[in-house]
Amino acid sequence: MGGESLSFGEVESRANRLARFLVAQGVGRESVVGLCLPRGVDAVVAMLAVWKAGGAFFCRLIRFSLLSGSGSCWLTVVRCWCWV
């Protein structure tokens, strides 16, 4: 299957950075974050970051991400955030 691999420390570091970003965006207890990411390292980091921010997540297929307004926040495959 190949793909990117990270050490536990690198996953922790990326997840902490993204969690801080999510908290700054208002994610916290009782927040729901939609994840619209392909399987891989970024999805694992995003899941961990949402938990660290205190929120819950649900996953959607990429093609449905813009059709649903549910979720207080969406994480997608946009690669402009500081954690990538």
Side-chain angles (χ1 to χ4, degrees):
M1 217 167 129
E4 184 180 10
S5 64
L6 298 174
S7 70
F8 288 115
E10 290 168 324
V11 170
E12 183 76 5
S13 177
R14 284 188 185 192
N16 286 338
R17 281 195 306 264
L18 181 55
R20 286 191 297 274
F21 173 80
L22 291 172
V23 168
Q25 300 306 308
V27 173
R29 290 185 64 179
E30 299 188 24
S31 296
V32 178
V33 178
L35 298 181
C36 186
L37 299 163
R39 291 181 185 180
V41 171
D42 290 342
V44 173
V45 168
M47 288 179 217
L48 183 56
V50 172
W51 287 330
K52 285 174 173 275
F57 70 87
F58 67 96
C59 297
R60 292 282 181 153
L61 296 174
I62 291 175
R63 65 177 179 233
F64 296 119
S65 66
L66 299 178
L67 302 177
S68 172
S70 58
S72 58
C73 178
W74 278 94
L75 291 180
T76 65
V77 213
V78 176
R79 293 214 179 263
C80 61
W81 293 336
C82 62
W83 65 281
V84 176

